[in-house]
PDB file of all heavy atoms in Angstrom:
ATOM      1  N   LYS Z 120      10.528  -3.765  -4.388  1.00  0.00           N
ATOM      2  CA  LYS Z 120       9.710  -2.773  -3.683  1.00  0.00           C
ATOM      3  C   LYS Z 120       9.192  -1.728  -4.660  1.00  0.00           C
ATOM      4  O   LYS Z 120       8.059  -1.242  -4.529  1.00  0.00           O
ATOM      5  CB  LYS Z 120      10.517  -2.135  -2.538  1.00  0.00           C
ATOM      6  CG  LYS Z 120      11.346  -0.912  -2.872  1.00  0.00           C
ATOM      7  CD  LYS Z 120      10.577   0.369  -2.571  1.00  0.00           C
ATOM      8  CE  LYS Z 120      11.432   1.593  -2.867  1.00  0.00           C
ATOM      9  NZ  LYS Z 120      10.668   2.849  -2.744  1.00  0.00           N
ATOM     10  N   ALA Z 121       9.969  -1.397  -5.671  1.00  0.00           N
ATOM     11  CA  ALA Z 121       9.521  -0.441  -6.684  1.00  0.00           C
ATOM     12  C   ALA Z 121       8.379  -1.004  -7.498  1.00  0.00           C
ATOM     13  O   ALA Z 121       7.447  -0.298  -7.878  1.00  0.00           O
ATOM     14  CB  ALA Z 121      10.687  -0.035  -7.590  1.00  0.00           C
ATOM     15  N   ALA Z 122       8.441  -2.319  -7.777  1.00  0.00           N
ATOM     16  CA  ALA Z 122       7.368  -2.957  -8.532  1.00  0.00           C
ATOM     17  C   ALA Z 122       6.054  -2.930  -7.741  1.00  0.00           C
ATOM     18  O   ALA Z 122       4.991  -2.645  -8.285  1.00  0.00           O
ATOM     19  CB  ALA Z 122       7.750  -4.388  -8.879  1.00  0.00           C
ATOM     20  N   VAL Z 123       6.138  -3.213  -6.437  1.00  0.00           N
ATOM     21  CA  VAL Z 123       4.939  -3.237  -5.598  1.00  0.00           C
ATOM     22  C   VAL Z 123       4.369  -1.838  -5.435  1.00  0.00           C
ATOM     23  O   VAL Z 123       3.175  -1.586  -5.657  1.00  0.00           O
ATOM     24  CB  VAL Z 123       5.242  -3.853  -4.218  1.00  0.00           C
ATOM     25  CG1 VAL Z 123       4.043  -3.726  -3.289  1.00  0.00           C
ATOM     26  CG2 VAL Z 123       5.651  -5.307  -4.369  1.00  0.00           C
ATOM     27  N   CYS Z 124       5.220  -0.897  -5.035  1.00  0.00           N
ATOM     28  CA  CYS Z 124       4.756   0.473  -4.836  1.00  0.00           C
ATOM     29  C   CYS Z 124       4.256   1.091  -6.144  1.00  0.00           C
ATOM     30  O   CYS Z 124       3.247   1.793  -6.170  1.00  0.00           O
ATOM     31  CB  CYS Z 124       5.878   1.315  -4.246  1.00  0.00           C
ATOM     32  SG  CYS Z 124       5.386   2.947  -3.706  1.00  0.00           S
ATOM     33  N   GLY Z 125       4.966   0.796  -7.247  1.00  0.00           N
ATOM     34  CA  GLY Z 125       4.538   1.295  -8.548  1.00  0.00           C
ATOM     35  C   GLY Z 125       3.195   0.715  -8.961  1.00  0.00           C
ATOM     36  O   GLY Z 125       2.368   1.402  -9.561  1.00  0.00           O
ATOM     37  N   ALA Z 126       2.966  -0.558  -8.646  1.00  0.00           N
ATOM     38  CA  ALA Z 126       1.690  -1.190  -8.974  1.00  0.00           C
ATOM     39  C   ALA Z 126       0.537  -0.517  -8.235  1.00  0.00           C
ATOM     40  O   ALA Z 126      -0.535  -0.271  -8.805  1.00  0.00           O
ATOM     41  CB  ALA Z 126       1.737  -2.680  -8.640  1.00  0.00           C
ATOM     42  N   ILE Z 127       0.749  -0.223  -6.952  1.00  0.00           N
ATOM     43  CA  ILE Z 127      -0.285   0.463  -6.171  1.00  0.00           C
ATOM     44  C   ILE Z 127      -0.518   1.861  -6.732  1.00  0.00           C
ATOM     45  O   ILE Z 127      -1.656   2.334  -6.835  1.00  0.00           O
ATOM     46  CB  ILE Z 127       0.097   0.507  -4.683  1.00  0.00           C
ATOM     47  CG1 ILE Z 127       0.173  -0.910  -4.112  1.00  0.00           C
ATOM     48  CG2 ILE Z 127      -0.907   1.348  -3.890  1.00  0.00           C
ATOM     49  CD1 ILE Z 127       0.691  -0.991  -2.691  1.00  0.00           C
ATOM     50  N   GLY Z 128       0.578   2.534  -7.128  1.00  0.00           N
ATOM     51  CA  GLY Z 128       0.438   3.854  -7.721  1.00  0.00           C
ATOM     52  C   GLY Z 128      -0.373   3.830  -9.001  1.00  0.00           C
ATOM     53  O   GLY Z 128      -1.209   4.724  -9.246  1.00  0.00           O
ATOM     54  N   VAL Z 129      -0.171   2.808  -9.840  1.00  0.00           N
ATOM     55  CA  VAL Z 129      -0.956   2.675 -11.072  1.00  0.00           C
ATOM     56  C   VAL Z 129      -2.433   2.497 -10.760  1.00  0.00           C
ATOM     57  O   VAL Z 129      -3.297   3.129 -11.391  1.00  0.00           O
ATOM     58  CB  VAL Z 129      -0.425   1.491 -11.905  1.00  0.00           C
ATOM     59  CG1 VAL Z 129      -1.406   1.146 -13.032  1.00  0.00           C
ATOM     60  CG2 VAL Z 129       0.939   1.811 -12.501  1.00  0.00           C
ATOM     61  N   LEU Z 130      -2.757   1.661  -9.787  1.00  0.00           N
ATOM     62  CA  LEU Z 130      -4.160   1.438  -9.420  1.00  0.00           C
ATOM     63  C   LEU Z 130      -4.815   2.737  -8.968  1.00  0.00           C
ATOM     64  O   LEU Z 130      -5.941   3.069  -9.379  1.00  0.00           O
ATOM     65  CB  LEU Z 130      -4.254   0.412  -8.312  1.00  0.00           C
ATOM     66  CG  LEU Z 130      -4.280  -1.067  -8.694  1.00  0.00           C
ATOM     67  CD1 LEU Z 130      -4.429  -1.931  -7.449  1.00  0.00           C
ATOM     68  CD2 LEU Z 130      -5.379  -1.371  -9.686  1.00  0.00           C
ATOM     69  N   LEU Z 131      -4.119   3.486  -8.101  1.00  0.00           N
ATOM     70  CA  LEU Z 131      -4.681   4.747  -7.622  1.00  0.00           C
ATOM     71  C   LEU Z 131      -4.891   5.721  -8.779  1.00  0.00           C
ATOM     72  O   LEU Z 131      -5.938   6.394  -8.865  1.00  0.00           O
ATOM     73  CB  LEU Z 131      -3.761   5.360  -6.570  1.00  0.00           C
ATOM     74  CG  LEU Z 131      -3.675   4.607  -5.229  1.00  0.00           C
ATOM     75  CD1 LEU Z 131      -2.555   5.174  -4.362  1.00  0.00           C
ATOM     76  CD2 LEU Z 131      -4.993   4.668  -4.474  1.00  0.00           C
ATOM     77  N   ASN Z 132      -3.922   5.810  -9.683  1.00  0.00           N
ATOM     78  CA  ASN Z 132      -4.038   6.730 -10.820  1.00  0.00           C
ATOM     79  C   ASN Z 132      -5.184   6.336 -11.745  1.00  0.00           C
ATOM     80  O   ASN Z 132      -5.946   7.196 -12.209  1.00  0.00           O
ATOM     81  CB  ASN Z 132      -2.717   6.770 -11.597  1.00  0.00           C
ATOM     82  CG  ASN Z 132      -1.599   7.424 -10.826  1.00  0.00           C
ATOM     83  OD1 ASN Z 132      -1.838   8.140  -9.851  1.00  0.00           O
ATOM     84  ND2 ASN Z 132      -0.363   7.162 -11.230  1.00  0.00           N
ATOM     85  N   LYS Z 133      -5.300   5.039 -12.023  1.00  0.00           N
ATOM     86  CA  LYS Z 133      -6.367   4.579 -12.931  1.00  0.00           C
ATOM     87  C   LYS Z 133      -7.745   4.919 -12.380  1.00  0.00           C
ATOM     88  O   LYS Z 133      -8.666   5.201 -13.133  1.00  0.00           O
ATOM     89  CB  LYS Z 133      -6.270   3.061 -13.131  1.00  0.00           C
ATOM     90  CG  LYS Z 133      -4.992   2.558 -13.784  1.00  0.00           C
ATOM     91  CD  LYS Z 133      -4.936   2.848 -15.262  1.00  0.00           C
ATOM     92  CE  LYS Z 133      -3.693   2.188 -15.885  1.00  0.00           C
ATOM     93  NZ  LYS Z 133      -3.483   2.637 -17.280  1.00  0.00           N
ATOM     94  N   CYS Z 134      -7.850   4.868 -11.051  1.00  0.00           N
ATOM     95  CA  CYS Z 134      -9.151   5.097 -10.410  1.00  0.00           C
ATOM     96  C   CYS Z 134      -9.334   6.545  -9.953  1.00  0.00           C
ATOM     97  O   CYS Z 134     -10.326   6.854  -9.271  1.00  0.00           O
ATOM     98  CB  CYS Z 134      -9.322   4.149  -9.227  1.00  0.00           C
ATOM     99  SG  CYS Z 134      -9.253   2.406  -9.679  1.00  0.00           S
ATOM    100  N   LYS Z 135      -8.354   7.436 -10.292  1.00  0.00           N
ATOM    101  CA  LYS Z 135      -8.434   8.859  -9.939  1.00  0.00           C
ATOM    102  C   LYS Z 135      -8.560   9.040  -8.426  1.00  0.00           C
ATOM    103  O   LYS Z 135      -9.339   9.853  -7.938  1.00  0.00           O
ATOM    104  CB  LYS Z 135      -9.622   9.519 -10.637  1.00  0.00           C
ATOM    105  CG  LYS Z 135      -9.706   9.291 -12.133  1.00  0.00           C
ATOM    106  CD  LYS Z 135      -8.529   9.899 -12.876  1.00  0.00           C
ATOM    107  CE  LYS Z 135      -8.683   9.717 -14.380  1.00  0.00           C
ATOM    108  NZ  LYS Z 135      -7.484  10.187 -15.130  1.00  0.00           N
ATOM    109  N   LEU Z 136      -7.766   8.302  -7.663  1.00  0.00           N
ATOM    110  CA  LEU Z 136      -7.821   8.349  -6.214  1.00  0.00           C
ATOM    111  C   LEU Z 136      -6.474   8.771  -5.632  1.00  0.00           C
ATOM    112  O   LEU Z 136      -5.430   8.610  -6.257  1.00  0.00           O
ATOM    113  CB  LEU Z 136      -8.204   6.979  -5.653  1.00  0.00           C
ATOM    114  CG  LEU Z 136      -9.590   6.445  -5.994  1.00  0.00           C
ATOM    115  CD1 LEU Z 136      -9.741   5.018  -5.502  1.00  0.00           C
ATOM    116  CD2 LEU Z 136     -10.688   7.334  -5.411  1.00  0.00           C
ATOM    117  N   LYS Z 137      -6.525   9.293  -4.390  1.00  0.00           N
ATOM    118  CA  LYS Z 137      -5.332   9.640  -3.626  1.00  0.00           C
ATOM    119  C   LYS Z 137      -5.224   8.666  -2.449  1.00  0.00           C
ATOM    120  O   LYS Z 137      -6.173   7.968  -2.095  1.00  0.00           O
ATOM    121  CB  LYS Z 137      -5.423  11.067  -3.116  1.00  0.00           C
ATOM    122  CG  LYS Z 137      -5.541  12.123  -4.205  1.00  0.00           C
ATOM    123  CD  LYS Z 137      -5.679  13.517  -3.608  1.00  0.00           C
ATOM    124  CE  LYS Z 137      -5.817  14.572  -4.695  1.00  0.00           C
ATOM    125  NZ  LYS Z 137      -5.996  15.937  -4.119  1.00  0.00           N
ATOM    126  N   VAL Z 138      -4.051   8.667  -1.827  1.00  0.00           N
ATOM    127  CA  VAL Z 138      -3.860   7.759  -0.688  1.00  0.00           C
ATOM    128  C   VAL Z 138      -4.834   8.099   0.440  1.00  0.00           C
ATOM    129  O   VAL Z 138      -5.215   7.225   1.233  1.00  0.00           O
ATOM    130  CB  VAL Z 138      -2.407   7.819  -0.163  1.00  0.00           C
ATOM    131  CG1 VAL Z 138      -1.455   7.182  -1.148  1.00  0.00           C
ATOM    132  CG2 VAL Z 138      -1.980   9.237   0.162  1.00  0.00           C
ATOM    133  N   THR Z 139      -5.267   9.357   0.534  1.00  0.00           N
ATOM    134  CA  THR Z 139      -6.205   9.755   1.583  1.00  0.00           C
ATOM    135  C   THR Z 139      -7.623   9.255   1.328  1.00  0.00           C
ATOM    136  O   THR Z 139      -8.479   9.311   2.225  1.00  0.00           O
ATOM    137  CB  THR Z 139      -6.221  11.288   1.736  1.00  0.00           C
ATOM    138  OG1 THR Z 139      -6.412  11.879   0.447  1.00  0.00           O
ATOM    139  CG2 THR Z 139      -4.914  11.787   2.326  1.00  0.00           C
ATOM    140  N   ASP Z 140      -7.900   8.766   0.117  1.00  0.00           N
ATOM    141  CA  ASP Z 140      -9.238   8.247  -0.196  1.00  0.00           C
ATOM    142  C   ASP Z 140      -9.424   6.817   0.280  1.00  0.00           C
ATOM    143  O   ASP Z 140     -10.553   6.327   0.402  1.00  0.00           O
ATOM    144  CB  ASP Z 140      -9.491   8.303  -1.713  1.00  0.00           C
ATOM    145  CG  ASP Z 140      -9.555   9.726  -2.231  1.00  0.00           C
ATOM    146  OD1 ASP Z 140     -10.157  10.577  -1.554  1.00  0.00           O
ATOM    147  OD2 ASP Z 140      -8.994   9.982  -3.325  1.00  0.00           O
ATOM    148  N   VAL Z 141      -8.327   6.109   0.520  1.00  0.00           N
ATOM    149  CA  VAL Z 141      -8.396   4.699   0.939  1.00  0.00           C
ATOM    150  C   VAL Z 141      -8.656   4.649   2.446  1.00  0.00           C
ATOM    151  O   VAL Z 141      -7.916   5.228   3.232  1.00  0.00           O
ATOM    152  CB  VAL Z 141      -7.093   3.965   0.581  1.00  0.00           C
ATOM    153  CG1 VAL Z 141      -7.150   2.509   1.080  1.00  0.00           C
ATOM    154  CG2 VAL Z 141      -6.855   3.992  -0.929  1.00  0.00           C
ATOM    155  N   ARG Z 142      -9.714   3.939   2.836  1.00  0.00           N
ATOM    156  CA  ARG Z 142     -10.111   3.905   4.250  1.00  0.00           C
ATOM    157  C   ARG Z 142      -9.798   2.573   4.925  1.00  0.00           C
ATOM    158  O   ARG Z 142      -9.774   2.498   6.153  1.00  0.00           O
ATOM    159  CB  ARG Z 142     -11.612   4.200   4.365  1.00  0.00           C
ATOM    160  CG  ARG Z 142     -12.042   5.513   3.734  1.00  0.00           C
ATOM    161  CD  ARG Z 142     -11.163   6.689   4.169  1.00  0.00           C
ATOM    162  NE  ARG Z 142     -11.186   6.926   5.591  1.00  0.00           N
ATOM    163  CZ  ARG Z 142     -12.055   7.737   6.199  1.00  0.00           C
ATOM    164  NH1 ARG Z 142     -12.950   8.396   5.488  1.00  0.00           N
ATOM    165  NH2 ARG Z 142     -12.005   7.903   7.505  1.00  0.00           N
ATOM    166  N   GLN Z 143      -9.616   1.512   4.150  1.00  0.00           N
ATOM    167  CA  GLN Z 143      -9.310   0.206   4.728  1.00  0.00           C
ATOM    168  C   GLN Z 143      -8.163  -0.427   3.925  1.00  0.00           C
ATOM    169  O   GLN Z 143      -8.217  -0.470   2.701  1.00  0.00           O
ATOM    170  CB  GLN Z 143     -10.528  -0.734   4.691  1.00  0.00           C
ATOM    171  CG  GLN Z 143     -11.796  -0.164   5.305  1.00  0.00           C
ATOM    172  CD  GLN Z 143     -11.704   0.056   6.803  1.00  0.00           C
ATOM    173  OE1 GLN Z 143     -10.918  -0.610   7.490  1.00  0.00           O
ATOM    174  NE2 GLN Z 143     -12.509   0.989   7.318  1.00  0.00           N
ATOM    175  N   VAL Z 144      -7.144  -0.900   4.643  1.00  0.00           N
ATOM    176  CA  VAL Z 144      -6.028  -1.610   4.012  1.00  0.00           C
ATOM    177  C   VAL Z 144      -5.957  -2.998   4.631  1.00  0.00           C
ATOM    178  O   VAL Z 144      -5.842  -3.133   5.863  1.00  0.00           O
ATOM    179  CB  VAL Z 144      -4.683  -0.872   4.204  1.00  0.00           C
ATOM    180  CG1 VAL Z 144      -3.538  -1.712   3.655  1.00  0.00           C
ATOM    181  CG2 VAL Z 144      -4.719   0.496   3.534  1.00  0.00           C
ATOM    182  N   TYR Z 145      -6.069  -4.025   3.803  1.00  0.00           N
ATOM    183  CA  TYR Z 145      -6.026  -5.413   4.251  1.00  0.00           C
ATOM    184  C   TYR Z 145      -4.735  -6.044   3.774  1.00  0.00           C
ATOM    185  O   TYR Z 145      -4.468  -6.105   2.549  1.00  0.00           O
ATOM    186  CB  TYR Z 145      -7.235  -6.188   3.715  1.00  0.00           C
ATOM    187  CG  TYR Z 145      -8.556  -5.633   4.174  1.00  0.00           C
ATOM    188  CD1 TYR Z 145      -9.296  -4.762   3.371  1.00  0.00           C
ATOM    189  CD2 TYR Z 145      -9.079  -5.976   5.423  1.00  0.00           C
ATOM    190  CE1 TYR Z 145     -10.522  -4.255   3.795  1.00  0.00           C
ATOM    191  CE2 TYR Z 145     -10.294  -5.472   5.851  1.00  0.00           C
ATOM    192  CZ  TYR Z 145     -11.013  -4.611   5.035  1.00  0.00           C
ATOM    193  OH  TYR Z 145     -12.218  -4.104   5.457  1.00  0.00           O
ATOM    194  N   LEU Z 146      -3.922  -6.497   4.711  1.00  0.00           N
ATOM    195  CA  LEU Z 146      -2.638  -7.142   4.390  1.00  0.00           C
ATOM    196  C   LEU Z 146      -2.785  -8.641   4.589  1.00  0.00           C
ATOM    197  O   LEU Z 146      -3.011  -9.112   5.706  1.00  0.00           O
ATOM    198  CB  LEU Z 146      -1.525  -6.583   5.263  1.00  0.00           C
ATOM    199  CG  LEU Z 146      -1.285  -5.071   5.168  1.00  0.00           C
ATOM    200  CD1 LEU Z 146      -0.184  -4.644   6.118  1.00  0.00           C
ATOM    201  CD2 LEU Z 146      -0.933  -4.675   3.729  1.00  0.00           C
ATOM    202  N   ALA Z 147      -2.656  -9.381   3.504  1.00  0.00           N
ATOM    203  CA  ALA Z 147      -2.878 -10.828   3.545  1.00  0.00           C
ATOM    204  C   ALA Z 147      -1.543 -11.575   3.599  1.00  0.00           C
ATOM    205  O   ALA Z 147      -0.501 -11.058   3.205  1.00  0.00           O
ATOM    206  CB  ALA Z 147      -3.683 -11.264   2.327  1.00  0.00           C
ATOM    207  N   GLY Z 148      -1.610 -12.802   4.057  1.00  0.00           N
ATOM    208  CA  GLY Z 148      -0.475 -13.694   4.010  1.00  0.00           C
ATOM    209  C   GLY Z 148       0.591 -13.390   5.059  1.00  0.00           C
ATOM    210  O   GLY Z 148       0.403 -12.589   5.979  1.00  0.00           O
ATOM    211  N   ALA Z 149       1.743 -14.036   4.880  1.00  0.00           N
ATOM    212  CA  ALA Z 149       2.831 -13.901   5.838  1.00  0.00           C
ATOM    213  C   ALA Z 149       3.375 -12.483   5.872  1.00  0.00           C
ATOM    214  O   ALA Z 149       3.815 -11.991   6.915  1.00  0.00           O
ATOM    215  CB  ALA Z 149       3.942 -14.888   5.495  1.00  0.00           C
ATOM    216  N   PHE Z 150       3.348 -11.786   4.728  1.00  0.00           N
ATOM    217  CA  PHE Z 150       3.831 -10.411   4.689  1.00  0.00           C
ATOM    218  C   PHE Z 150       3.043  -9.555   5.678  1.00  0.00           C
ATOM    219  O   PHE Z 150       3.607  -8.800   6.465  1.00  0.00           O
ATOM    220  CB  PHE Z 150       3.699  -9.845   3.287  1.00  0.00           C
ATOM    221  CG  PHE Z 150       4.151  -8.393   3.166  1.00  0.00           C
ATOM    222  CD1 PHE Z 150       5.479  -8.098   2.932  1.00  0.00           C
ATOM    223  CD2 PHE Z 150       3.243  -7.362   3.292  1.00  0.00           C
ATOM    224  CE1 PHE Z 150       5.894  -6.776   2.858  1.00  0.00           C
ATOM    225  CE2 PHE Z 150       3.636  -6.030   3.207  1.00  0.00           C
ATOM    226  CZ  PHE Z 150       4.979  -5.742   2.980  1.00  0.00           C
ATOM    227  N   GLY Z 151       1.725  -9.684   5.672  1.00  0.00           N
ATOM    228  CA  GLY Z 151       0.888  -8.906   6.578  1.00  0.00           C
ATOM    229  C   GLY Z 151       1.005  -9.352   8.024  1.00  0.00           C
ATOM    230  O   GLY Z 151       0.856  -8.538   8.934  1.00  0.00           O
ATOM    231  N   ALA Z 152       1.284 -10.620   8.233  1.00  0.00           N
ATOM    232  CA  ALA Z 152       1.310 -11.157   9.586  1.00  0.00           C
ATOM    233  C   ALA Z 152       2.628 -10.895  10.303  1.00  0.00           C
ATOM    234  O   ALA Z 152       2.648 -10.667  11.513  1.00  0.00           O
ATOM    235  CB  ALA Z 152       1.052 -12.661   9.556  1.00  0.00           C
ATOM    236  N   TYR Z 153       3.746 -10.924   9.589  1.00  0.00           N
ATOM    237  CA  TYR Z 153       5.047 -10.895  10.234  1.00  0.00           C
ATOM    238  C   TYR Z 153       5.875  -9.643   9.963  1.00  0.00           C
ATOM    239  O   TYR Z 153       6.809  -9.338  10.700  1.00  0.00           O
ATOM    240  CB  TYR Z 153       5.868 -12.132   9.812  1.00  0.00           C
ATOM    241  CG  TYR Z 153       5.180 -13.440  10.098  1.00  0.00           C
ATOM    242  CD1 TYR Z 153       4.933 -14.365   9.095  1.00  0.00           C
ATOM    243  CD2 TYR Z 153       4.770 -13.768  11.386  1.00  0.00           C
ATOM    244  CE1 TYR Z 153       4.310 -15.576   9.367  1.00  0.00           C
ATOM    245  CE2 TYR Z 153       4.126 -14.962  11.666  1.00  0.00           C
ATOM    246  CZ  TYR Z 153       3.911 -15.870  10.642  1.00  0.00           C
ATOM    247  OH  TYR Z 153       3.275 -17.061  10.903  1.00  0.00           O
ATOM    248  N   THR Z 154       5.577  -8.924   8.885  1.00  0.00           N
ATOM    249  CA  THR Z 154       6.396  -7.777   8.534  1.00  0.00           C
ATOM    250  C   THR Z 154       6.070  -6.576   9.414  1.00  0.00           C
ATOM    251  O   THR Z 154       4.900  -6.282   9.667  1.00  0.00           O
ATOM    252  CB  THR Z 154       6.191  -7.405   7.048  1.00  0.00           C
ATOM    253  OG1 THR Z 154       6.550  -8.516   6.239  1.00  0.00           O
ATOM    254  CG2 THR Z 154       7.050  -6.214   6.661  1.00  0.00           C
ATOM    255  N   ASN Z 155       7.120  -5.864   9.853  1.00  0.00           N
ATOM    256  CA  ASN Z 155       6.939  -4.612  10.580  1.00  0.00           C
ATOM    257  C   ASN Z 155       6.479  -3.550   9.588  1.00  0.00           C
ATOM    258  O   ASN Z 155       7.216  -3.157   8.691  1.00  0.00           O
ATOM    259  CB  ASN Z 155       8.272  -4.207  11.221  1.00  0.00           C
ATOM    260  CG  ASN Z 155       8.165  -2.968  12.075  1.00  0.00           C
ATOM    261  OD1 ASN Z 155       7.427  -2.029  11.757  1.00  0.00           O
ATOM    262  ND2 ASN Z 155       8.901  -2.939  13.163  1.00  0.00           N
ATOM    263  N   LEU Z 156       5.229  -3.093   9.739  1.00  0.00           N
ATOM    264  CA  LEU Z 156       4.645  -2.167   8.775  1.00  0.00           C
ATOM    265  C   LEU Z 156       5.397  -0.850   8.735  1.00  0.00           C
ATOM    266  O   LEU Z 156       5.524  -0.216   7.676  1.00  0.00           O
ATOM    267  CB  LEU Z 156       3.174  -1.923   9.099  1.00  0.00           C
ATOM    268  CG  LEU Z 156       2.367  -1.156   8.050  1.00  0.00           C
ATOM    269  CD1 LEU Z 156       2.409  -1.847   6.692  1.00  0.00           C
ATOM    270  CD2 LEU Z 156       0.917  -0.988   8.510  1.00  0.00           C
ATOM    271  N   ALA Z 157       5.930  -0.414   9.884  1.00  0.00           N
ATOM    272  CA  ALA Z 157       6.710   0.817   9.905  1.00  0.00           C
ATOM    273  C   ALA Z 157       7.952   0.699   9.022  1.00  0.00           C
ATOM    274  O   ALA Z 157       8.311   1.630   8.291  1.00  0.00           O
ATOM    275  CB  ALA Z 157       7.107   1.154  11.345  1.00  0.00           C
ATOM    276  N   SER Z 158       8.615  -0.456   9.065  1.00  0.00           N
ATOM    277  CA  SER Z 158       9.785  -0.676   8.203  1.00  0.00           C
ATOM    278  C   SER Z 158       9.392  -0.717   6.739  1.00  0.00           C
ATOM    279  O   SER Z 158      10.100  -0.180   5.877  1.00  0.00           O
ATOM    280  CB  SER Z 158      10.489  -1.991   8.591  1.00  0.00           C
ATOM    281  OG  SER Z 158      11.006  -1.938   9.900  1.00  0.00           O
ATOM    282  N   ALA Z 159       8.247  -1.369   6.449  1.00  0.00           N
ATOM    283  CA  ALA Z 159       7.798  -1.490   5.052  1.00  0.00           C
ATOM    284  C   ALA Z 159       7.476  -0.137   4.437  1.00  0.00           C
ATOM    285  O   ALA Z 159       7.779   0.121   3.273  1.00  0.00           O
ATOM    286  CB  ALA Z 159       6.584  -2.423   4.985  1.00  0.00           C
ATOM    287  N   THR Z 160       6.851   0.736   5.232  1.00  0.00           N
ATOM    288  CA  THR Z 160       6.518   2.071   4.695  1.00  0.00           C
ATOM    289  C   THR Z 160       7.741   2.971   4.666  1.00  0.00           C
ATOM    290  O   THR Z 160       7.880   3.800   3.762  1.00  0.00           O
ATOM    291  CB  THR Z 160       5.403   2.718   5.531  1.00  0.00           C
ATOM    292  OG1 THR Z 160       5.750   2.674   6.921  1.00  0.00           O
ATOM    293  CG2 THR Z 160       4.090   1.997   5.334  1.00  0.00           C
ATOM    294  N   LYS Z 161       8.637   2.820   5.638  1.00  0.00           N
ATOM    295  CA  LYS Z 161       9.879   3.623   5.634  1.00  0.00           C
ATOM    296  C   LYS Z 161      10.713   3.310   4.386  1.00  0.00           C
ATOM    297  O   LYS Z 161      11.277   4.208   3.767  1.00  0.00           O
ATOM    298  CB  LYS Z 161      10.692   3.341   6.885  1.00  0.00           C
ATOM    299  CG  LYS Z 161      11.964   4.195   7.000  1.00  0.00           C
ATOM    300  CD  LYS Z 161      12.708   3.896   8.278  1.00  0.00           C
ATOM    301  CE  LYS Z 161      13.918   4.810   8.437  1.00  0.00           C
ATOM    302  NZ  LYS Z 161      13.541   6.233   8.535  1.00  0.00           N
ATOM    303  N   LEU Z 162      10.745   2.039   4.037  1.00  0.00           N
ATOM    304  CA  LEU Z 162      11.488   1.623   2.848  1.00  0.00           C
ATOM    305  C   LEU Z 162      10.742   1.994   1.573  1.00  0.00           C
ATOM    306  O   LEU Z 162      11.359   2.162   0.508  1.00  0.00           O
ATOM    307  CB  LEU Z 162      11.740   0.125   2.913  1.00  0.00           C
ATOM    308  CG  LEU Z 162      12.682  -0.502   1.894  1.00  0.00           C
ATOM    309  CD1 LEU Z 162      14.047   0.173   1.929  1.00  0.00           C
ATOM    310  CD2 LEU Z 162      12.825  -1.988   2.167  1.00  0.00           C
ATOM    311  N   GLY Z 163       9.417   2.123   1.645  1.00  0.00           N
ATOM    312  CA  GLY Z 163       8.624   2.500   0.472  1.00  0.00           C
ATOM    313  C   GLY Z 163       7.999   1.337  -0.262  1.00  0.00           C
ATOM    314  O   GLY Z 163       7.686   1.452  -1.442  1.00  0.00           O
ATOM    315  N   ILE Z 164       7.804   0.217   0.440  1.00  0.00           N
ATOM    316  CA  ILE Z 164       7.134  -0.920  -0.189  1.00  0.00           C
ATOM    317  C   ILE Z 164       5.639  -0.613  -0.296  1.00  0.00           C
ATOM    318  O   ILE Z 164       5.037  -0.796  -1.352  1.00  0.00           O
ATOM    319  CB  ILE Z 164       7.361  -2.210   0.627  1.00  0.00           C
ATOM    320  CG1 ILE Z 164       8.856  -2.542   0.700  1.00  0.00           C
ATOM    321  CG2 ILE Z 164       6.590  -3.368  -0.001  1.00  0.00           C
ATOM    322  CD1 ILE Z 164       9.183  -3.669   1.656  1.00  0.00           C
TER     323      ILE Z 164
END
């Protein structure tokens, strides 16, 4: 989870963006289809 969250953090930093700048989030694959998003964000993925 640290690798995934850290990777997203690197992308945002490289592009000089904040989480509030992102307007669309697309979750692909089984992770997006079956995972409880509230649990994923609570854990920090």
